[in-house]
Amino acid sequence: MQGLGWVLTIGGVILFPLPGPGLLLLAAGLAILAEHYAWAERRVDQVKVRAWAGARVGVRTPWRTFWTVLVTALLGASGVLWLWAPPRPDWWVLPAWTWLPGGVWSGVGQLLSGAVALALVGYAWWRVRGERVAGRGDPRCGV
């Protein structure tokens, strides 16, 4: 279990600056590591608060939810490009090695991360919807 915590934490740090579930992965990884390390236990609550605040913003209105799902699905589906592996187009001015680096496993990883991201968006939507029904919305996030 500790290994999973490290994988999620490192994955969250890597994905943090990108659109997607980086902060949620970081929070999940720290939650697992908090069972083993005091330093993780001290940080997990503040990361969880920031992760859910960001998730709430992405699903706070139907319009935002639509765009969040659309962009997340498109980013995940872009993995098909690696699986299809089209030849480098003539207009590509960069060196040939920069065209779709990584190959098939990059495509598989992109598709899997897109599926995980969509699942997390769905969970965030479900959780925020439950908070609205219970009247516990977060005023900082407009819900």
Side-chain angles (χ1 to χ4, degrees):
M1 206 58 167
Q2 190 175 356
L4 176 63
W6 280 110
V7 168
L8 291 173
T9 301
I10 292 169
V13 168
I14 291 169
L15 294 175
F16 179 74
L18 303 174
L23 201 52
L24 292 174
L25 288 177
L26 180 61
L30 283 176
I32 293 169
L33 292 177
E35 296 175 11
H36 304 282
Y37 301 104
W39 61 266
E41 189 174 355
R42 289 190 302 268
R43 288 168 180 80
V44 71
D45 287 335
Q46 57 193 353
V47 172
K48 281 170 47 175
V49 167
R50 288 189 65 197
W52 283 113
R56 281 184 189 99
V57 169
V59 295
R60 120 173 118 195
T61 65
W63 191 242
R64 277 189 183 232
T65 303
F66 167 78
W67 285 108
T68 300
V69 168
L70 180 66
V71 169
T72 303
L74 288 174
L75 286 171
S78 69
V80 172
L81 189 61
W82 275 272
L83 297 176
W84 173 38
R88 183 173 54 105
D90 294 334
W91 53 264
W92 190 260
V93 297
L94 298 173
W97 65 268
T98 63
W99 176 251
L100 297 178
V104 171
W105 288 110
S106 292
V108 170
Q110 188 76 9
L111 289 169
L112 288 175
S113 67
V116 168
L118 282 174
L120 289 171
V121 169
Y123 179 69
W125 175 83
W126 173 77
R127 185 171 167 172
V128 167
R129 186 172 160 262
E131 289 174 353
R132 284 187 191 140
V133 169
R136 296 181 316 218
D138 186 347
R140 295 174 298 159
C141 299
V143 294

